[in-house]
Structures are given as C-alpha cells and as structure tokens.
Amino acid sequence: MKKKVCGAAPQNANVDALCVNAVGLRKNERVTSSHSLDIAQYGGWPGILGTLISGNNLEAHIAEAAITDILNGQATASQMTAFIVALRAKGETATELSGMLRAVRSAGQRVDLAPELAQRAIDIVGTGGDQSHSFNVSTVTSLVVAGAGVPVCKHGNRAASSKCGAADVLEELGVAIELDPVGVAQCIDEAGMGFCLAARFHPAFRYTGPSRREIGISTAFNLLGPMANPAPISSMLVGVAAPWMMRPMIEALSSRGVTSAWVVHGSNGTAQGGVDELTLAGPALVMRLHQGEVSEMKVDCSDIGLSSQPLSAIVGGDATENARIARAVLAGEAGAARDTVVFNAAAALHVAGVATSLVDGRVLAEESIDSGKAADVLRKLITASTAAAERLE
C-alpha cells in the first residue's frame, strides 16, 4: 500500500467552531454556541447566499448559524434549498462541514458512554447514494467488529436511495431500533453494539426532508448524517460515494473528536463511479486520519489475500433478502458477501487500533465469524434492545 501524505487539517480553522457540543436539546431549546447564531449578524440569508453564489467559502461559525436556522425551523423551504444547492455547486469545504456538523450534533440527542468505552468505540457507516444495490455491508460488518471485541455504536436510518437501510435490516433481524440514548448505551454495554436511529436522534432533520426529496440530488446533509453519530466515539470507518468529498469529510471528522478514521471510496469495477464501502471489485481510495495527520492511500482485497469479485456478486434486495444474507454471513457461509464483510471488518479493526495491519484484521474478522461471536452479538443485541424498548412502553 502506497501512502501519500496530504497534510493536516486547516491551520486557520476557527477553534471555537471546531469544538463540538453534543448535548441534546429539550423541547423549545435552541442550539447554543460561543458565536452568535443569529444569521442577521452575517447579513441574513441574502448575505450568506450571496457569499456562496460568488464562489466564496463560509467561515465555520457562519455555516453553523445557517444550519441552526434550518434545524430550528426558522428558514423557509426556499432559503434552505437555495443554501444546500449553492453549497453543492461551490463545493463544501472542511471548515463549512465542521461548522454544520457542530450544529447538527448540538440539535440532536446524545448517547453518553463511559470515557474508557468511548475511547474504544467505532461507527461503520456510508453516505449511500451510489446505486450499487449491495446488501447492508456496513451493518453486518458492525456485528463482526463487535464480535471481535470492539464496541460499536451504529448510526443509521431507514432506506432512502436503496430498498433496505440499516434500520430496516436490523428490524427484520429482530432488533428493536427505536431506542432512546439510555437504551442504546445499554445495548452497547450488554451486547457490544447499539443502534441509533437517525430519525429519532436528529428530529430537527424533519425540516429538511421535503425539500431534499424534491430536488433529488445529494447535498451536504448526505455528508453530515454519517458524521453525526450521537455518541462520543473515537474511531470511524466512513464510506463515501463521491470521491471529491473525501478530504473535507476526513478533516471535518477530526473536528468532532474522532482520533482515528478512514474515509473510503470503493471500486465498482469500472473506470467511472464508485461505492461507499470497500469492495472486491478493485482498488479503493482511502483518506486516513491518524494522530492528527491526514494521508492518502489505496487498498485492494488482494492485499489481504482475498479474491476479486464483481460488484454484482453482493447485490442485495429488500429487508427480507438482506437479512437472509446477513444470517448466512454470520453462519460462516463462504462467498463474496462474507469476503466483502471480512475486508471491511479488517479495515475497521485496523482503524480501531486492535489490528496492527489489514492482514491481522482479516484474521480477527474471520475468527469473529467462525467462532460464532459475531452471531452472538446479534442474539444479545436482539435481547438487550427488546428489553430497552419494553422499558419505553
């Protein structure tokens, strides 16, 4: 694997804007910040939109103020649509994403984890939108990683651009998905894995849904969602469908306290396009965050002795079909689905610091599956989540 050092996060980033306040809001509370979140201080929407249309970047606290106005339900649909489209046309920067991520996490609920647990915890998530129609790779990978002893706080939602989202397949597998922060923490403690339903933990996103569906394009919210895990996790493996967003995302992740991360753009086996996870179809681009430094490299399944397979070999379907695939992988069934999960789990275990290399990560991932530990995580998660859901009734 060849690495190319690409530099650290921007040195001129506003320190206050890069600090993360992840405290959830009570009813009628508003997002708070050390900066003014009144967009009138920055020329209101005409001033903010004028800056973007001119091709200029926003400072982190101004981007934070704009998203706060949206999440508080104060922006009109036209203002919000203009903002996210203008941002996408210009190209979101790491500084802008950092400010917006602060606002998103501040407006949501928080999962409290003990410091020792938070230092070991990881999330494995993708942006979606790659139209690969693969089964729920990151969800099954999460179970395998948890089976290898790394706590997983999985953040996800129901299907948006696919037939089956993380929430859909977990529910089909028997997991209770609509838990509160206490329930999620209980699952992590008892099963080694918990699931945060994004719609429940980030209810303010309801103001963005209609406009996002109407315009039908990927926007900053597709990038913010995967980064907005409600728990103070230290590691992340994030799949990105758009390779040009890899650097801004990896730098934005460092602003929320993540100390080790990979942002990956996998191959779909063609010269154009790609997917939001590691695949067996060809080399993947990787942006790596480690000890405050960002580096770039490529990884391939052959690096750990896995055979190449076309992307069509991991196509999934609805929740019923994807749950069947998940159970087959956890039962040790050989094939492209298992190898894809092993590849992604190897990377996650390396990112989490329990595997010194991808090769060592493969050994740990396969042991998690073949020993039954990964399947045991699912059984424990079903039991713990069901008990937590009953407590809420």
Side-chain angles (χ1 to χ4, degrees):
M1 296 183 291
K2 296 182 179 180
K3 299 183 180 179
K4 176 183 177 183
V5 177
C6 301
Q11 298 297 314
N12 60 349
N14 184 285
V15 174
D16 289 330
L18 295 183
C19 295
V20 175
N21 173 11
V23 179
L25 300 180
R26 298 183 180 88
K27 187 176 180 180
N28 297 326
E29 284 187 326
R30 296 296 176 90
V31 177
T32 60
S33 171
S34 56
H35 292 284
S36 170
L37 294 182
D38 180 2
I39 63 171
Q41 300 292 318
Y42 313 116
W45 283 110
I48 292 172
L49 295 174
T51 298
L52 295 175
I53 291 171
S54 298
N56 296 314
N57 300 326
L58 299 177
E59 295 181 51
H61 62 278
I62 299 177
E64 179 186 0
I67 292 295
T68 299
D69 203 63
I70 291 170
L71 297 180
N72 283 339
Q74 295 174 309
T76 67
S78 296
Q79 290 166 337
M80 187 198 73
T81 302
F83 176 70
I84 58 178
V85 171
L87 261 180
R88 176 46 48 97
K90 177 188 70 65
E92 297 90 342
T93 67
T95 300
E96 290 165 341
L97 286 176
S98 297
M100 292 187 286
L101 180 59
R102 174 188 167 95
V104 169
R105 297 193 71 224
S106 295
Q109 292 181 295
R110 172 175 178 159
V111 175
D112 290 319
L113 300 178
E116 183 275 336
L117 188 60
Q119 289 174 3
R120 298 190 297 116
I122 191 171
D123 187 12
I124 303 154
V125 65
T127 61
D130 59 17
Q131 302 300 312
S132 67
H133 307 295
S134 61
F135 73 97
N136 301 93
V137 173
S138 65
T139 304
V140 184
T141 298
S142 296
L143 293 165
V144 173
V145 169
V150 176
V152 177
C153 185
K154 173 76 175 139
H155 187 220
N157 221 334
R158 294 192 181 278
S161 59
S162 65
K163 293 181 180 179
C164 179
D168 303 307
V169 73
L170 285 172
E171 191 171 51
E172 181 69 20
L173 289 167
V175 177
I177 60 171
E178 298 204 24
L179 303 183
D180 64 1
V182 174
V184 173
Q186 177 183 331
C187 289
I188 296 173
D189 184 57
E190 297 179 7
M193 177 177 166
F195 179 73
C196 299
L197 181 63
R200 183 182 181 109
F201 280 80
H202 301 285
F205 267 30
R206 68 185 182 276
Y207 295 116
T208 73
S211 293
R212 292 172 63 192
R213 285 191 293 270
E214 287 174 4
I215 62 178
I217 62 170
S218 176
T219 70
F221 285 106
N222 295 85
L223 307 178
L224 293 169
M227 297 192 291
N229 190 298
I233 55 175
S234 297
S235 303
M236 292 192 76
L237 175 62
V238 183
V240 180
W244 57 87
M245 288 312 304
M246 295 175 70
R247 172 161 289 278
M249 285 189 74
I250 197 77
E251 293 179 355
L253 282 176
S254 67
S255 77
R256 59 150 292 170
V258 169
T259 56
S260 178
W262 276 18
V263 173
V264 305
H265 177 68
S267 172
N268 63 2
T270 70
Q272 296 181 339
V275 298
D276 66 341
E277 57 211 6
L278 298 176
T279 74
L280 309 175
L285 299 175
V286 178
M287 284 283 184
R288 175 178 184 253
L289 171 67
H290 182 65
Q291 296 182 344
E293 295 292 325
V294 175
S295 57
E296 180 183 342
M297 59 186 179
K298 287 187 177 182
V299 299
D300 189 87
C301 65
S302 61
D303 296 336
I304 59 173
L306 296 174
S307 300
S308 176
Q309 295 283 343
L311 195 62
S312 59
I314 59 169
V315 169
D318 60 12
T320 300
E321 172 62 11
N322 286 7
R324 183 198 66 76
I325 295 172
R327 292 189 184 100
V329 171
L330 296 179
E333 182 177 295
R338 171 192 166 107
D339 287 353
T340 301
V341 168
V342 166
F343 191 16
N344 282 270
L349 292 166
H350 181 49
V351 170
V354 300
T356 57
S357 66
L358 286 180
V359 173
D360 289 341
R362 175 185 176 177
V363 173
L364 293 176
E366 291 183 330
E367 194 274 337
S368 175
I369 295 172
D370 296 334
S371 67
K373 292 178 181 177
D376 196 42
V377 169
L378 177 58
R379 285 191 291 270
K380 290 179 179 178
L381 179 57
I382 293 170
T383 300
S385 64
T386 301
E390 291 174 349
R391 174 181 55 79
L392 293 174
E393 294 177 353

